[in-house]
Amino acid sequence: MQPKPTTHQTAVRRGPPTEPLWVQRFLIGAAVLVLVVLIVVPVLNIFAYALQDGVAAYFKHLTGDPDTWHAIKLTLFVAPIAVVLNVLFGIAAAWLLTRFSFPGRTLLTSLIDLPFAVSPVVAGLMLVLLFGAKGWFGPYLQASNIKIIFATPGLVLATMFVTLPFVARELIPVMQAIGPDEELAAISLGANGWQMFWRVTLPNIKWGLLYGIILCNGRAMGEFGAVYVVSGHIAGQTDTMPLRVEKLFQDFNLPASFAVASLLTLLSLVTVALKVILENWKDENVSE
Amino acid sequence: MKPRQRRILPGYSLTLGYTMAVMSLMLFLPLAALILRATSLGPKEFIAAVWTERARAAYTLTIGTSFAAAIIDTIVGLLLAWVLVRYEFPGKRICDSLIDLPFALPTAVAGLVYSNLYVEKGWFGRYLVPLGFQGAYSQTAIVLVLAFIGLPFVVRTVQPVLESLDADIEEAAESLGATRWQTFWRVLIPSLQPALITGFALTFARGLGEYGSVVFVSGNMPFKTEIAAVLVVSRLEEFAYAEATAIALVLLAGSFVMLAAINGLEWWSRRYAA
Amino acid sequence: MSIHIANVTKRFGEFVALDNVSLDVPSGDLLALLGPSGSGKTTLLRIIAGLEHADDGVVRYEGEDVTQKAPKDREVGFVFQHYALFRHMSVFENVAFGLRVRNAPKAEVNARVKELLHLVRLEGLGSRYPAQLSGGQRQRVALARALAVRPRMLLLDEPFGALDAKVRQELRQWLRQLHDEMHVTTVFVTHDQEEAFEVADHVVVMRAGKIEQAGSPQDVFDHPASPFVMDFLGQVNVFHGRLQAGQMHVGNIAVNYPEYTHAESRDATAYIRPHEVELDRLPIDGTSLPVKVLHVNPAGAVTRVKVLSEAFGWSLNVELRPERYAELALRPGDNVFAVPKRVRVFMSDDYAI
C-alpha cells in the first residue's frame, strides 16, 4: 500500500529565483544584439560579398582560377591526413594516460594541451628551425632530396601540431569516466588486445572520438598562422584555402577572396551543425 | 618492498612508445630547436633582438589588445552564458550553437570579414567611421577581432558552472533578505568567479598568440598596429631567423606563463569544492 | 508568531502538489510536517516561506496576509535540506550574510555572529569554509545563518535527512532544546515518523497533497485517523475481511466494530500493531488464537517474534518486552496463543489497497 510514487514532482520544481520580466527582456535583447553584431552580420557579409557579382562569377572564382582550385584540393588532401594521424595519436595517448599509471603521467597529460597555448606562428617557426634548409635536419634532408618545409609534408606537420590536442582532449575525460572495468572484464573473458579494443573500448568512446574528429577537422582546414610560416605560400603548390584567401586579399581581388572564404565559412557552419547534432544524438542515446 | 605492479590491460609499451614518439617529434624536438637556436645568440645579442623599440611596442600592443579583448569577452560572455542558461526565448538553441562559430571559423576568414565590415565603405564602417570609430586598420580593429576569436571561451567555461548552481543558494540568499541585485553580486558572482577568471585567462592567452585574423585587420604598421606574432613573421621574411626566434621565445614564454596560470587557477578554484 | 494557511492549492503542471490545504500553526509551536515523498509537505513549507507561490489560497502571519510578499520581506529563517551554504564564504560570512545585506553596522554583525556561533557550538570555526566541515556542522551553520537575522519563524526542510543516524539523533534533541529556549515558531518537514514524534509539539501527516491528520504526537499515534496514517506510523499487521452488523470477520475470527451496524456486508481492513499483541502459552479467552512461532529476534530494545496461524494461513509480527520474552522462553516451533489487545478496523472505501 505505497502511496502513488510521484517522480515528476522534482521535474516540475521551478528554477532559481528570477528577475523581473523587463530585466530579462533587456538582457536577452543585449545578448542577441551582441551575437548579431559579432557573428551573424559577419557571416552574412562573407556570403554577400562572395556572391556580389552573381552565382556564375562566384563559381568561376572558385573553379576558374587554377591556383584557387589547387588550394582547395590541397586543403582537402592535407586536413584528412592530419586528422587521421591525430586520431591515432589521440587514442594512443588517451589509452596510455587513462589506463596506466606511471611516473610523469600528470606532466604528460598537461603537456598534451601545450599546442593550444603556443602561438601558431611560433609553431611554424619551430618546424622551420627543425626541417628548414638551415634547420637541424636541413642538410640531411637536402642530401636525401626530401622537402618538408615549403612543401606538403610541412603543411601536414604544421596542421598536425596545432590540432594535436583535439582528439586526445575529447577522449581522456570520456575514458576516465568509463573506467577500465569493462576492458578488464573483456581481458578476463579471454579477449586479446585488438578484440578488446574493437568490441569494448571503441564502442564506448565513439561519440567522443567523432566529436574530436569534427573539431580537429574544422581546425585543420582553417589553420593559418602555422601553415603560413612553413608553406612559403607558393601559389599553385603550397597555398591552402586560408592562405589563398590572404593572397587574393593582398591582390585586391576581394570577390575571389570572399568566394574562398565563403567556402571555409560553409565548412565551419557544417562543423558547428555536426557538433550540435552529435550532442543531441548523444544526449538521446545516453538518456535511454 | 612494493611488488612491481603487473599491467593487466594490454598496450602499455605500444601506446607509451607511440605517444612519446609523436610528442617528441611534434613537441619536444621543435621546442628544443627553438630554445637552443635562441640561446645560441648570447645574452647581449638576445636582449638586442628582443628588446628593440619596435619589439617593445609590439609586446605592449599585443598584451594591451589581448587584455582589452579578454575584458570585453568576460563581460559579454557572462551576459551570453546567463541569458542562455537562465531564460527561455525563441531562437535560443540557434544562439547557443552560434557561440561555437568563432572556434570553427578559420581565423583568416574572421580577419577578412572584420576588416571588410569596419572600413569606410563597409556595412558597419559607413556609419561608424564618420563618428570617428576606426574599426579597421587600427588598434581598435585588433581588439575587435580578438574579442570575436575568443568569445566562446568565457561562455563555455561559465555556462556549465551556472547550470550546476543549485537554486537553493539563491533562495537562501533571498530568504535571508537579500535583494536580487545583492544576491547577484554577493552570491552568484563569487560562485562564478573561478570560471570567469579561467575564461578570461584563456581568451587572453589566445589573443597573445593570434596571428591569422590580426594580420588582416590591423594594417601591421610597425610601432602602431604591429603585434608580436606579426613581427616574428616579418623578421622571418627578412630571413632574420635569429631575431625571429628570439622574439618567438618571448612569445612562447608568455604562453607558458599563461598556461601555468590557467592550471593554477583551476587548482585554486577547487579549493571550495567539498 | 502564528501562521494561518487557508485553502492553499498548488499545481506543478498536471501534478497537484497541494489540494486545498488549511492549517493553523500556533505561536511558539514546534510543528512537524510528516509524509512520504510527493505528499506535498515540502511544497507547503516553501509556500509558507514564500519560495513558492500558491495558485490559490491565503497565507497569513499573525493575521497579516503575506501571500504576495517576496521571501526577502517575510523575515523567515529557512534551512534547506542540503544546507545551501555559500561555499565561497567562510562560516562567519555565511552567518553574517543576512545582516550584511541589511547593512547592519560592523560591530553589531560581529557581536551577533559570535553569539550565534556560540549558540550552535561552532566557536572557533568561523574562518573555516563549508567544504571543511562535517555534515552536522554544516547543518548547524545553516541554522545559525537562518537565526542570525532574528526571523519571525524558523522553517526547516528535512533538516536531518542527509546526516548519519547518530548525528541525526543528537541534532534532533538539540533542536528541541533550542526551540524551548527561543520559542520561535518552528515548522519542519520530515519523512521520518520517529523524528516527528520525538521533536514536535504537533504533527501534521500529509498524503497526496492533503492533510491526512493533525494533532499532538500522542493523539496521532493513539488514534490514527486513517489506514494511511496507521500504516505510515510504523510496522503494522494488516488483515482483510468482511464487515457486517457490528462485527468484522477475518477468517473465523470476529472483532467488534459497533460503528457499522448495517446488515449489508462490505470489505474492511483490520490493523494490529506488533506491540499490541500479547503472546501466551495458554489461551486467555475466546479471542486467543493458536499460532506457531516461526522466528524470534531478541536483539534490540524489543524482541520481535513472527508467528503463523496455521488455521488461517496468515502470519503476524509481534513485539514483546524483553522481560516478557524471557518469561515465555519462546523458541521457533513452539505452539502458543496470540491475543490482539487492540484492533483498528477501517472500512475499505476510504482507502483502496
Side-chain angles (χ1 to χ4, degrees):
Chain A
M1 54 169 66
Q2 279 294 308
K4 193 173 59 179
T6 50
T7 43
H8 50 304
Q9 192 214 11
T10 38
V12 286
R13 185 158 300 263
R14 59 166 210 169
T18 192
E19 292 72 44
L21 209 57
W22 69 269
V23 176
Q24 291 193 25
R25 293 222 169 111
F26 174 76
L27 293 175
I28 292 169
V32 171
L33 185 72
V34 165
L35 286 178
V36 166
V37 169
L38 284 182
I39 296 172
V40 176
V41 172
V43 168
L44 293 177
N45 187 263
I46 293 164
F47 290 107
Y49 272 71
L51 294 166
Q52 60 182 335
D53 297 335
V55 179
Y58 174 73
F59 282 108
K60 196 161 166 282
H61 287 313
L62 291 179
T63 56
D65 182 338
D67 291 346
T68 302
W69 189 235
H70 183 269
I72 294 171
K73 285 193 291 187
L74 185 61
T75 294
L76 293 180
F77 177 72
V78 168
I81 294 177
V83 170
V84 168
L85 291 174
N86 270 339
V87 167
L88 292 179
F89 171 74
I91 292 173
W95 182 258
L96 176 72
L97 293 170
T98 60
R99 292 297 180 260
F100 303 111
S101 71
F102 53 92
R105 194 175 63 99
T106 323
L107 181 69
L108 203 59
T109 311
S110 47
L111 282 178
I112 283 186
D113 273 346
L114 207 60
F116 277 158
V118 175
S119 169
V121 169
V122 177
L125 175 64
M126 295 195 298
L127 293 175
V128 170
L129 292 176
L130 218 48
F131 301 109
K134 290 179 188 162
W136 282 7
F137 302 136
Y140 167 76
L141 291 169
Q142 244 163 354
S144 4
N145 213 5
I146 300 170
K147 234 178 154 212
I148 291 184
I149 300 303
F150 304 151
T152 312
L155 300 179
V156 173
L157 280 177
T159 307
M160 203 182 153
F161 181 95
V162 293
T163 54
L164 194 67
F166 275 97
V167 177
R169 229 186 178 199
E170 291 301 325
L171 290 186
I172 288 171
V174 172
M175 288 179 63
Q176 220 145 33
I178 293 171
D181 291 355
E182 289 181 39
E183 281 133 5
L184 287 168
I187 294 293
S188 76
L189 290 168
N192 66 32
W194 285 117
Q195 288 170 324
M196 176 211 69
F197 177 75
W198 287 106
R199 289 161 188 262
V200 178
T201 309
L202 200 60
N204 276 337
I205 62 170
K206 61 181 181 216
W207 299 116
L209 187 62
L210 205 53
Y211 201 71
I213 290 172
I214 288 168
L215 296 181
C216 180
N217 182 59
R219 182 71 199 271
M221 293 200 172
E223 176 49 29
F224 183 81
V227 172
Y228 184 91
V229 173
V230 298
S231 82
H233 28 116
I234 309 160
Q237 282 189 33
T238 59
D239 263 357
T240 60
M241 283 165 75
L243 297 179
R244 193 67 197 149
V245 169
E246 198 251 4
K247 179 135 329 153
L248 291 166
F249 174 74
Q250 297 294 355
D251 292 346
F252 299 105
N253 190 351
L254 274 189
S257 177
F258 270 94
V260 181
S262 74
L263 221 51
L264 287 166
T265 310
L266 224 48
L267 280 171
S268 59
L269 287 173
V270 169
T271 302
V272 170
L274 283 177
K275 177 176 173 279
V276 171
I277 291 168
L278 203 59
E279 275 166 351
N280 290 339
W281 202 356
K282 195 167 62 177
D283 286 348
E284 275 167 30
N285 279 282
V286 167
S287 59
E288 263 167 24
Chain B
M1 206 179 81
K2 217 169 103 182
R4 196 166 169 275
Q5 194 200 332
R6 267 203 63 208
R7 303 184 199 280
I8 297 158
L9 289 174
Y12 176 68
S13 321
L14 178 72
T15 53
L16 180 70
Y18 183 65
T19 305
M20 291 312 289
V22 173
M23 297 267 289
S24 306
L25 181 73
M26 299 297 311
L27 219 59
F28 304 145
L29 218 57
L31 277 174
L34 182 80
I35 292 166
L36 287 180
R37 186 60 174 259
T39 47
S40 71
L41 273 175
K44 263 197 187 145
E45 287 159 295
F46 183 82
I47 287 171
V50 301
W51 212 242
T52 60
E53 216 167 304
R54 184 169 160 191
R56 285 207 307 271
Y59 302 143
T60 314
L61 181 70
T62 306
I63 292 170
T65 49
S66 299
F67 190 82
I71 293 277
I72 292 171
D73 278 347
T74 304
I75 296 164
V76 170
L78 175 62
L79 170 74
L80 286 168
W82 180 270
V83 166
L84 289 174
V85 171
R86 292 295 172 104
Y87 303 148
E88 290 303 325
F89 57 96
K92 176 169 150 168
R93 287 178 65 91
I94 293 173
C95 287
D96 193 48
S97 320
L98 276 177
I99 303 279
D100 284 325
L101 203 62
F103 276 167
L105 198 71
T107 53
V109 177
L112 175 74
V113 68
Y114 264 69
S115 72
N116 191 50
L117 279 171
Y118 289 93
V119 292
E120 213 175 331
K121 288 191 177 137
W123 287 4
F124 291 147
R126 70 183 66 159
Y127 308 109
L128 295 174
V129 172
L131 298 174
F133 183 91
Q134 295 289 349
Y137 307 116
S138 65
Q139 300 186 353
T140 317
I142 303 174
V143 174
L144 266 176
V145 83
L146 289 182
F148 170 82
I149 299 279
L151 186 66
F153 283 114
V154 175
V155 183
R156 294 296 184 230
T157 47
V158 170
Q159 229 173 353
V161 180
L162 202 51
E163 268 163 10
S164 71
L165 283 185
D166 286 325
D168 61 5
I169 64 162
E170 285 167 72
E171 288 176 347
E174 205 181 357
S175 78
L176 288 167
T179 62
R180 196 71 195 121
W181 192 241
Q182 284 171 321
T183 306
F184 179 76
W185 281 108
R186 287 166 182 261
V187 175
L188 288 173
I189 288 292
S191 306
L192 297 176
Q193 190 190 355
L196 283 169
I197 295 177
T198 303
F200 174 89
L202 287 168
T203 316
F204 183 64
R206 177 74 204 261
L208 290 182
E210 179 54 23
Y211 174 75
S213 57
V214 177
V215 79
F216 279 85
V217 301
S218 69
N220 308 312
M221 299 266 294
F223 299 104
K224 275 193 178 155
T225 58
E226 184 183 57
I227 59 159
V230 171
L231 181 60
V232 172
V233 173
S234 56
R235 285 281 184 260
L236 210 54
E237 283 170 345
E238 296 158 8
F239 299 104
Y241 279 83
E243 252 189 89
T245 310
I247 297 167
L249 190 65
V250 172
L251 255 179
L252 193 68
S255 310
F256 279 10
V257 169
M258 287 312 297
L259 195 67
I262 291 163
N263 277 325
L265 281 172
E266 265 161 23
W267 173 81
W268 174 73
S269 70
R270 278 197 288 269
R271 73 200 188 284
Y272 301 132
Chain C
M1 192 187 55
S2 61
I3 308 165
H4 311 274
I5 296 149
N7 309 102
V8 163
T9 296
K10 175 72 185 175
R11 286 181 201 85
F12 294 107
E14 291 287 290
F15 178 68
V16 182
L18 289 176
D19 186 3
N20 199 18
V21 168
S22 298
L23 177 68
D24 278 344
V25 186
S27 186
D29 200 34
L30 177 50
L31 180 133
L33 293 174
L34 177 65
S37 62
S39 60
K41 55 193 193 303
T42 294
T43 307
L44 182 58
L45 190 78
R46 288 169 61 88
I47 284 178
I48 297 173
L51 295 173
E52 213 83 65
H53 275 286
D55 298 331
D56 229 322
V58 179
V59 179
R60 290 194 188 87
Y61 295 171
E62 204 74 74
E64 176 204 358
D65 183 348
V66 295
T67 316
Q68 297 303 325
K69 221 171 179 180
K72 76 178 182 66
D73 303 320
R74 291 202 185 193
E75 296 171 63
V76 300
F78 197 100
V79 176
F80 291 80
Q81 188 177 359
H82 301 290
Y83 322 132
L85 296 179
F86 307 129
R87 59 169 59 201
H88 60 278
M89 292 183 200
S90 63
V91 167
F92 186 97
E93 283 306 318
N94 262 286
V95 178
F97 183 87
L99 303 163
R100 295 243 197 262
V101 297
R102 285 175 175 74
N103 297 316
K106 250 196 179 132
E108 189 193 317
V109 174
N110 285 340
R112 179 74 182 147
V113 174
K114 245 181 148 174
E115 186 187 331
L116 274 150
L117 288 180
H118 175 74
L119 184 73
V120 300
R121 296 176 303 190
L122 288 174
E123 305 103 319
L125 296 186
S127 58
R128 295 262 187 105
Y129 283 94
Q132 299 167 304
L133 301 179
S134 71
Q137 289 172 327
R138 285 181 211 177
Q139 181 59 276
R140 282 184 274 152
V141 175
L143 206 58
R145 183 178 71 175
L147 289 171
V149 293
R150 299 179 203 281
R152 302 203 287 173
M153 69 182 78
L154 189 59
L155 307 174
L156 306 98
D157 186 6
E158 298 269 5
F160 313 123
L163 301 169
D164 59 53
K166 189 168 177 290
V167 181
R168 190 155 61 207
Q169 189 66 35
E170 274 172 30
L171 280 183
R172 260 185 219 169
Q173 287 164 11
W174 177 71
L175 178 68
R176 180 71 237 182
Q177 250 175 32
L178 201 69
H179 181 265
D180 291 344
E181 285 165 25
M182 302 196 310
H183 286 294
V184 60
T185 310
T186 302
V187 179
F188 74 100
V189 159
T190 180
H191 61 263
D192 178 348
Q193 47 99 10
E194 211 179 295
E195 186 169 291
F197 283 6
E198 184 180 325
V199 178
D201 297 326
H202 289 100
V203 174
V204 172
V205 183
M206 296 191 66
R207 172 188 164 220
K210 290 189 167 171
I211 291 177
E212 197 79 2
Q213 187 173 9
S216 70
Q218 175 99 48
D219 244 17
V220 173
F221 191 78
D222 287 346
H223 308 286
S226 68
F228 173 80
V229 177
M230 185 82 221
D231 193 57
F232 191 73
L233 296 187
Q235 208 199 14
V236 65
N237 297 293
V238 185
F239 303 97
H240 304 296
R242 304 287 299 170
L243 189 59
Q244 189 178 26
Q247 282 204 313
M248 158 127 187
H249 303 272
V250 184
N252 285 359
I253 306 276
V255 180
N256 285 331
Y257 188 69
E259 287 91 337
Y260 185 85
T261 53
H262 295 275
E264 186 195 346
S265 126
R266 59 187 291 183
D267 288 336
T269 310
Y271 292 82
I272 306 169
R273 286 186 169 139
H275 69 275
E276 291 175 342
V277 180
E278 189 65 61
L279 291 182
D280 217 321
R281 289 278 176 191
L282 297 168
I284 301 167
D285 54 34
T287 61
S288 300
L289 182 70
V291 292
K292 186 180 194 159
V293 176
L294 286 181
H295 181 76
V296 180
N297 174 14
V302 293
T303 299
R304 291 170 214 278
V305 183
K306 189 162 190 144
V307 296
L308 174 74
S309 159
E310 283 172 320
F312 302 115
W314 28 256
S315 60
L316 191 65
N317 290 307
V318 182
E319 287 177 7
L320 296 177
R321 284 173 289 108
E323 309 89 79
R324 179 68 185 149
Y325 165 68
E327 216 176 295
L328 285 169
L330 291 176
R331 285 163 173 280
D334 286 1
N335 286 304
V336 292
F337 293 89
V339 185
K341 285 181 293 185
R342 185 158 191 190
V343 182
R344 292 177 178 81
V345 175
F346 293 97
M347 279 182 283
S348 296
D349 274 4
D350 358 309
Y351 192 65
I353 290 156

